[in-house]
Amino acid sequence: MPTAIEFFKLLPKTNCKDCGQPTCLAFAMLLANQKAKIDDCPHISKDSKDALEESSAPPIRTVVLGKGSEVRMGGETVLHRHERGFINPTAYAVTVSDKENIRNRIETIKKLRFERVGMVFETDMVSVRCDSGDPKVFRDAVVLVMELWEKPFALECCASVLESALSAASSRRPLIYHANTENFDDMVALSKKYSCPLVLRDPNMGSLAGLADKAKAMGVDDIVLDTGAANLKECVEKHTIARRAAIKKRFKQFGYPLMNRVGSGEYAVAIAAVSTMKYGSLVIFDDLKSYEALPLFTLRQNIYTDPQVPIQVKQGLYPIGEPNEHSPIFFTANFSLTYFTVRADIEKSKIPVWLQIVDTEGLSVLTAYSAGKFNPEHVAKALNDSGVLSKSDGIVVIPGLVARMSSKLRELLDREVIIGTTESRDIPKFLKNLKPPR
């Protein structure tokens, strides 16, 4: 990414303020921090714009699979998550053979679905593999997969069989897996003809770079690289070499998303975990069990959560149980961990409650209060906006950590406000001892 001074040199330097900034240097600083777009400057010359766009493009190309429902890979700009955060999470695909019962297989894959801290985890793709060797059987299998599966998919077969399926599936922009030194020309021709992304595979990093350079020269832009990593050591080494070369050295031949084909079983999941932590954009499994998928999806969530932006729950009213017009009203911050902890402890009590979540920009209760983002006025507005005060005449329960704002909140709401527990784990006992409003 260019520095602010490098951006500034290509700007018109008129300080016209048409970009919304007081000076061209201020605008250049926003560009360098990716907080503004080049198009925001209406006076930049075409040559300067082209130069800026080329120099500011991510060192890892963004490759989009699918139409409508998409999987985005690449687009990364850093080696380490804490520098700026990673962008496009690793996609997980499960194989569908053209020789098996495809309906049953797709249904099984769809069941790999979990909810955790308000987020839904599920399989991102399928990979349709030609085990029959028959172009008609493979094409029919792909057509059926397209009927049953709305998300992106990959096609795995030899070039002689692939075209029959691509002619039917190209509108969905599948990923072609894969080209190597032996079938390179045929696979590149199909990728260009049907405008589909192409995987290049070679276990030799030098040869892989050569294939990428050659494919680019022949007009294929959307490339995914398979380093052929056979074990954990190779996965770490090859992925690190590729990412460092692309980010630090701007080595364009490695400036593409990386992937692994890992088979099935414990070792396959281990390689997938390493790939997720070390720059992998796609992992294709032969099979994936639910007990393998959940920890893997959880790992991915942790890796691809921006460390500078806490996981948040949307501000709103969340009824727990079946609260009525006399049920108590709790409120808390929208930090995800706070919400799910409080909710779980309320549910343990078996007592219906209106739970109001207040937008604190993902900060916890005490942190938000200290930062002035969780004050009586803010809370009162959230309660009024949600309409909970008209749904219930119940007692408003304030988190014990911010007890000092109870009197002001009581004044703003003209409602009985009592101080709740300091620790969430004490909520069940508190609710069972709670007296109805006077």
Side-chain angles (χ1 to χ4, degrees), residues 182-211:
E182 295 178 358
N183 64 5
F184 182 82
D185 291 338
D186 291 337
M187 285 295 196
V188 166
L190 289 172
S191 175
K192 289 177 60 179
K193 180 177 179 180
Y194 292 100
S195 301
C196 292
L198 176 65
V199 175
L200 304 178
R201 186 180 190 279
D202 199 301
N204 182 285
M205 297 297 283
S207 298
L208 185 61
L211 290 179

Coordinates of all heavy atoms in Angstrom, one line a residue, residues 182-211:
E182 N 0.7 -30.6 -17.0 CA 0.3 -31.6 -18.1 C -0.9 -31.1 -18.8 O -1.0 -31.3 -20.0 CB 0.1 -33.0 -17.5 CG 1.4 -33.6 -16.9 CD 1.1 -34.9 -16.3 OE1 -0.1 -35.4 -16.2 OE2 2.1 -35.6 -15.8
N183 N -1.9 -30.5 -18.1 CA -3.1 -30.2 -18.8 C -3.3 -28.6 -18.9 O -4.4 -28.1 -19.1 CB -4.3 -30.8 -18.0 CG -4.5 -30.2 -16.6 OD1 -3.7 -29.3 -16.2 ND2 -5.4 -30.7 -15.9
F184 N -2.2 -27.9 -18.7 CA -2.3 -26.5 -18.6 C -3.0 -25.8 -19.7 O -4.0 -25.0 -19.5 CB -0.9 -25.9 -18.4 CG -0.8 -24.4 -18.2 CD1 -1.0 -23.9 -17.0 CD2 -0.6 -23.6 -19.3 CE1 -1.0 -22.5 -16.8 CE2 -0.6 -22.2 -19.1 CZ -0.8 -21.7 -17.8
D185 N -2.6 -26.0 -20.9 CA -3.2 -25.3 -22.1 C -4.7 -25.6 -22.2 O -5.5 -24.6 -22.5 CB -2.5 -25.7 -23.4 CG -1.1 -25.2 -23.4 OD1 -0.8 -24.2 -22.7 OD2 -0.3 -25.8 -24.2
D186 N -5.1 -26.8 -22.0 CA -6.5 -27.2 -22.1 C -7.4 -26.5 -21.0 O -8.5 -25.9 -21.3 CB -6.7 -28.7 -22.1 CG -6.2 -29.4 -23.3 OD1 -6.1 -28.7 -24.3 OD2 -5.9 -30.6 -23.2
M187 N -6.9 -26.5 -19.8 CA -7.6 -25.9 -18.7 C -7.7 -24.4 -18.8 O -8.7 -23.8 -18.5 CB -7.0 -26.3 -17.4 CG -7.3 -27.7 -17.0 SD -9.0 -28.0 -16.6 CE -9.0 -29.5 -15.7
V188 N -6.6 -23.8 -19.2 CA -6.6 -22.3 -19.4 C -7.6 -21.9 -20.5 O -8.3 -20.9 -20.4 CB -5.2 -21.8 -19.7 CG1 -5.2 -20.4 -20.3 CG2 -4.3 -21.9 -18.5
A189 N -7.6 -22.7 -21.6 CA -8.6 -22.4 -22.7 C -10.0 -22.5 -22.2 O -10.8 -21.6 -22.5 CB -8.3 -23.4 -23.8
L190 N -10.3 -23.5 -21.4 CA -11.7 -23.6 -20.8 C -12.0 -22.5 -19.8 O -13.1 -21.9 -19.8 CB -11.9 -24.9 -20.1 CG -11.9 -26.2 -21.0 CD1 -11.9 -27.5 -20.2 CD2 -13.2 -26.1 -21.9
S191 N -11.0 -22.1 -19.0 CA -11.2 -21.0 -18.1 C -11.5 -19.7 -18.8 O -12.4 -18.9 -18.4 CB -10.0 -20.8 -17.2 OG -10.1 -19.7 -16.4
K192 N -10.8 -19.4 -19.9 CA -11.0 -18.2 -20.7 C -12.3 -18.3 -21.4 O -13.1 -17.3 -21.4 CB -9.9 -18.0 -21.7 CG -8.5 -17.6 -21.0 CD -7.4 -17.5 -22.1 CE -7.8 -16.5 -23.2 NZ -6.7 -16.4 -24.2
K193 N -12.6 -19.4 -22.0 CA -13.9 -19.5 -22.8 C -15.1 -19.3 -21.9 O -16.1 -18.7 -22.4 CB -13.9 -20.9 -23.5 CG -15.2 -21.2 -24.3 CD -15.1 -22.5 -25.0 CE -16.3 -22.8 -25.8 NZ -16.3 -24.1 -26.5
Y194 N -15.1 -19.9 -20.7 CA -16.3 -19.8 -19.9 C -16.2 -18.8 -18.7 O -17.1 -18.7 -17.9 CB -16.6 -21.2 -19.3 CG -17.1 -22.2 -20.4 CD1 -16.1 -23.1 -20.9 CD2 -18.3 -22.1 -20.9 CE1 -16.5 -24.0 -21.9 CE2 -18.7 -23.0 -21.9 CZ -17.8 -23.9 -22.4 OH -18.2 -24.8 -23.4
S195 N -15.1 -18.0 -18.7 CA -14.9 -17.0 -17.7 C -15.1 -17.5 -16.3 O -15.8 -16.9 -15.5 CB -15.9 -15.8 -18.0 OG -15.7 -15.3 -19.3
C196 N -14.4 -18.6 -16.0 CA -14.5 -19.1 -14.7 C -13.1 -19.1 -14.0 O -12.1 -19.3 -14.7 CB -15.0 -20.6 -14.8 SG -16.7 -20.7 -15.3
P197 N -13.0 -18.9 -12.7 CA -11.7 -18.9 -12.0 C -11.1 -20.3 -12.1 O -11.8 -21.3 -12.2 CB -12.1 -18.6 -10.5 CG -13.5 -18.0 -10.6 CD -14.2 -18.6 -11.8
L198 N -9.7 -20.3 -12.1 CA -9.0 -21.5 -12.3 C -8.0 -21.8 -11.2 O -7.3 -20.8 -10.8 CB -8.2 -21.4 -13.6 CG -7.3 -22.5 -14.0 CD1 -8.1 -23.8 -14.3 CD2 -6.5 -22.2 -15.3
V199 N -7.9 -23.0 -10.7 CA -6.9 -23.4 -9.8 C -5.7 -23.9 -10.5 O -5.8 -24.7 -11.4 CB -7.4 -24.5 -8.8 CG1 -6.3 -25.0 -7.9 CG2 -8.6 -24.1 -8.0
L200 N -4.5 -23.4 -10.1 CA -3.2 -23.9 -10.6 C -2.6 -24.7 -9.5 O -2.5 -24.2 -8.3 CB -2.3 -22.7 -11.0 CG -2.9 -21.7 -12.0 CD1 -1.9 -20.6 -12.3 CD2 -3.2 -22.4 -13.3
R201 N -2.1 -25.9 -9.8 CA -1.5 -26.8 -8.7 C -0.1 -27.3 -9.2 O 0.0 -27.8 -10.3 CB -2.4 -27.9 -8.5 CG -2.0 -28.8 -7.3 CD -2.9 -30.0 -7.0 NE -2.6 -30.7 -5.8 CZ -1.7 -31.6 -5.6 NH1 -0.9 -31.9 -6.7 NH2 -1.5 -32.1 -4.4
D202 N 0.8 -27.1 -8.3 CA 2.2 -27.7 -8.5 C 2.8 -27.7 -7.1 O 2.9 -26.6 -6.4 CB 3.0 -26.8 -9.5 CG 4.1 -27.6 -10.0 OD1 5.0 -28.1 -9.2 OD2 4.2 -27.8 -11.2
P203 N 3.4 -28.8 -6.7 CA 4.1 -28.9 -5.4 C 5.4 -28.1 -5.3 O 5.9 -27.9 -4.3 CB 4.2 -30.4 -5.1 CG 4.1 -31.0 -6.5 CD 3.2 -30.1 -7.3
N204 N 5.9 -27.8 -6.5 CA 7.2 -27.0 -6.6 C 6.8 -25.5 -6.7 O 6.1 -25.1 -7.6 CB 8.0 -27.5 -7.8 CG 9.3 -26.7 -7.9 OD1 9.4 -25.6 -8.3 ND2 10.4 -27.4 -7.5
M205 N 7.3 -24.7 -5.7 CA 6.9 -23.3 -5.6 C 7.4 -22.6 -6.8 O 6.7 -21.7 -7.3 CB 7.4 -22.7 -4.3 CG 6.8 -23.3 -3.1 SD 5.0 -23.1 -2.9 CE 4.9 -21.3 -2.4
G206 N 8.6 -22.9 -7.3 CA 9.1 -22.2 -8.5 C 8.2 -22.5 -9.7 O 7.9 -21.6 -10.5
S207 N 7.8 -23.8 -9.9 CA 7.0 -24.1 -11.0 C 5.6 -23.5 -10.9 O 5.0 -23.1 -11.9 CB 6.9 -25.7 -11.1 OG 8.1 -26.3 -11.3
L208 N 5.1 -23.4 -9.7 CA 3.8 -22.8 -9.5 C 3.8 -21.4 -9.9 O 2.8 -20.9 -10.5 CB 3.4 -23.0 -8.0 CG 2.0 -22.5 -7.6 CD1 0.9 -23.3 -8.4 CD2 1.7 -22.7 -6.1
A209 N 4.9 -20.7 -9.5 CA 5.0 -19.3 -9.9 C 5.0 -19.1 -11.4 O 4.4 -18.2 -12.0 CB 6.2 -18.6 -9.3
G210 N 5.7 -20.1 -12.1 CA 5.8 -20.0 -13.5 C 4.4 -20.3 -14.1 O 4.1 -19.6 -15.1
L211 N 3.6 -21.2 -13.6 CA 2.3 -21.4 -14.1 C 1.4 -20.2 -14.0 O 0.7 -19.8 -14.9 CB 1.6 -22.6 -13.4 CG 2.2 -24.0 -13.7 CD1 1.4 -25.0 -12.8 CD2 2.1 -24.4 -15.1

